[in-house]
Amino acid sequence: MQPFQQLQIKYSRNSFRYNNFAYRGPVRWPRPVTCSATRHVHARATEFLQGFDLDLTTSQKTVREAISKVCSKFPDEYWLQTDETKSFPSKFHSALARDGWLGICMPVEYGDSDLGISEAAIMMQTIAESGAGMTGASAVHMNIFGLEPVVKFATKEQKQRFLVPLIKGEERACFGVTEPNTGLDTLRLQSSATRDGDHYVLRESKIWISTAQIAEKILILTRTMPLEKVTRPSQGLSLFYTNLDRNQVEVKEIPKMGRAAVDTNTLFFAGWRVPREDLIGEENNGFKMIMQGMNAERILIGAEALGLGFAALRRAALYAGERVVFDRPIGKNQGIQNPLADSWMNLEAARLMIYQAAKLYDQGYATGEYANAGKYLAAEAAFKACERAVMIHGEMGYAKEYHLERYLREVLIPRIAPVSREMILNYIGERVLGLPKSY
């Protein structure tokens, strides 16, 4: 991925262009920064998808503006309906594809804009913050980070074959790493792939595979050399991007607490034949490749959590200003006002960490302390903001029509995935503080 500074950017009154990707339409450019004692530079708690943040670059502000325009066509009621009917948000997915946003970080030669994770994080935060939450974000974020190993390690022929239809929205992909008996212990995967002529034969199972009900493709990591035969556990894993052939793979949906519109599944396969030309990079070197997307994934999911937290805070602040009890708005009470102020500070602090992590990632910084810490802080701040928003609404916070119960159910996802809070703390303790490994 190129640093943003190397990209060719052209602006005009009614359009902007990143390399070969063009967005046309009305663009509200950010107002000049003027601060005074009465100027409120942040209106995040009450204004829908406001685009005025002092620290954002011009490109980030422009991406937020364009994504806001798409999201404004899909209000909370749309997301409530997809949740209740358990239907994939195909119209939203198509709208982003139509405007060229699927694959925002992918190379220009395959039809996209080659922007950075910094811009992608703005995109994902904006989607979640519009009310789409983790449902809207999960519908597209495989496009953002999931195929980074393909971008970096696939052959030119594979990139043309795999990336172009994904970017156009003609194909959808899922991500298969986690297994029932290994969890976060990726180096001990039990699924296997055995070479058989021009194919590999895959056996075993995967779990927590999102969008497998509707995906045409899967990026899957499996062991091609038994663990007992390798010198290091990270050896012997191989990566494939291939058709999710339901004649060879059983896809069983997992009923779950939230994000009902985006399915989550267990995959079972025994004798699944995958063509050799679908192997990405070198055989037995897949773990190194899959790690390329891990920090990006943490940054983006942290940004999605922020979006949910700010959406909940916005609703809570508006409600607190309008709801009158005992002849006064409840927002006048410090017991209501102070927790909301605390949530804004925590969300804003996490946002600064997330965007620092994204900036470092785009500059080539490889280690994960900022990505992990940002994801941790964003998930915790967002959960607290959603919980407080429900409580401030009282019994109405429990009602679906106010959407906050949906936010609260979905905000649990970034606290759990893609890595737990405890494993992040272990990472920081070991890698940053130099303490002995605790697990």
Side-chain angles (χ1 to χ4, degrees), residues 86 152 184 268 289 324 350 417:
K86 299 182 180 180
K152 291 193 173 182
L184 289 171
F268 302 94
M289 290 182 276
V324 175

Side-chain angles (χ1 to χ4, degrees), residues 305-331:
L306 287 174
L308 259 180
F310 283 128
L313 185 61
R314 178 178 68 239
R315 282 188 169 272
L318 289 169
Y319 184 82
E322 296 170 357
R323 172 67 167 156
V324 175
V325 178
F326 300 121
D327 299 324
R328 55 191 278 151
I330 61 172

Side-chain angles (χ1 to χ4, degrees), residues 1-240:
M1 184 184 302
Q2 294 177 331
F4 176 73
Q5 288 82 355
Q6 297 177 13
L7 301 179
Q8 300 298 313
I9 311 168
K10 296 180 181 179
Y11 303 98
S12 69
R13 184 177 181 85
N14 290 313
S15 68
F16 64 89
R17 175 178 290 275
Y18 298 111
N19 287 349
N20 293 328
F21 169 77
Y23 168 79
R24 293 180 178 84
V27 178
R28 293 200 314 271
W29 294 101
R31 291 166 290 176
V33 176
T34 55
C35 296
S36 70
T38 59
R39 172 84 171 119
H40 295 284
V41 297
H42 289 282
R44 196 180 304 278
T46 55
E47 188 177 331
F48 181 71
L49 299 183
Q50 61 88 23
F52 190 80
D53 279 320
L54 291 173
D55 57 300
L56 297 186
T57 64
T58 301
S59 67
Q60 288 174 315
K61 292 174 183 176
T62 305
V63 169
R64 183 162 169 91
E65 179 74 35
I67 297 299
S68 298
K69 183 179 178 181
V70 176
C71 290
S72 66
K73 301 173 185 176
F74 299 91
D76 272 286
E77 288 70 25
Y78 171 82
W79 299 105
L80 175 60
Q81 183 183 33
T82 64
D83 188 66
E84 290 182 334
T85 59
K86 299 182 180 180
S87 53
F88 186 82
S90 299
K91 290 183 179 180
F92 177 72
H93 185 276
S94 298
L96 288 174
R98 219 171 20 249
D99 284 359
W101 290 110
L102 296 184
I104 182 176
C105 298
M106 292 191 186
V108 172
E109 58 264 38
Y110 302 107
D112 227 289
S113 49
D114 205 6
L115 295 180
I117 290 297
S118 296
E119 284 75 26
I122 282 287
M123 173 178 170
M124 303 312 288
Q125 179 188 328
T126 304
I127 290 171
E129 194 176 334
S130 73
M134 299 305 294
T135 297
S138 297
V140 299
H141 71 192
M142 179 64 185
N143 290 68
I144 308 302
F145 72 87
L147 290 196
E148 184 135 343
V150 176
V151 172
K152 291 193 173 182
F153 298 103
T155 65
K156 188 171 183 179
E157 181 275 331
Q158 285 177 321
K159 291 178 186 178
Q160 184 68 33
R161 182 158 53 101
F162 295 149
L163 298 183
V164 172
L166 191 79
I167 291 169
K168 289 182 178 179
E170 296 170 352
E171 290 182 349
R172 288 172 289 203
C174 58
F175 189 60
V177 175
T178 305
E179 294 182 1
N181 296 321
T182 56
L184 289 171
D185 195 358
T186 305
L187 297 179
R188 299 190 180 276
L189 294 183
Q190 296 175 359
S191 61
S192 65
T194 306
R195 181 76 179 272
D196 181 18
D198 291 334
H199 289 77
Y200 287 85
V201 181
L202 276 59
R203 294 180 174 86
E204 273 292 344
S205 62
K206 296 287 182 181
I207 198 169
W208 298 112
I209 312 303
S210 294
T211 71
Q213 293 288 331
I214 50 91
E216 292 84 11
K217 296 283 188 177
I218 184 171
L219 184 69
I220 185 168
L221 183 71
T222 187
R223 188 162 284 285
T224 42
M225 184 181 292
L227 189 60
E228 59 270 16
K229 291 186 178 181
V230 300
T231 57
R232 295 194 311 273
S234 59
Q235 295 176 332
L237 293 165
S238 296
L239 190 63
F240 301 88

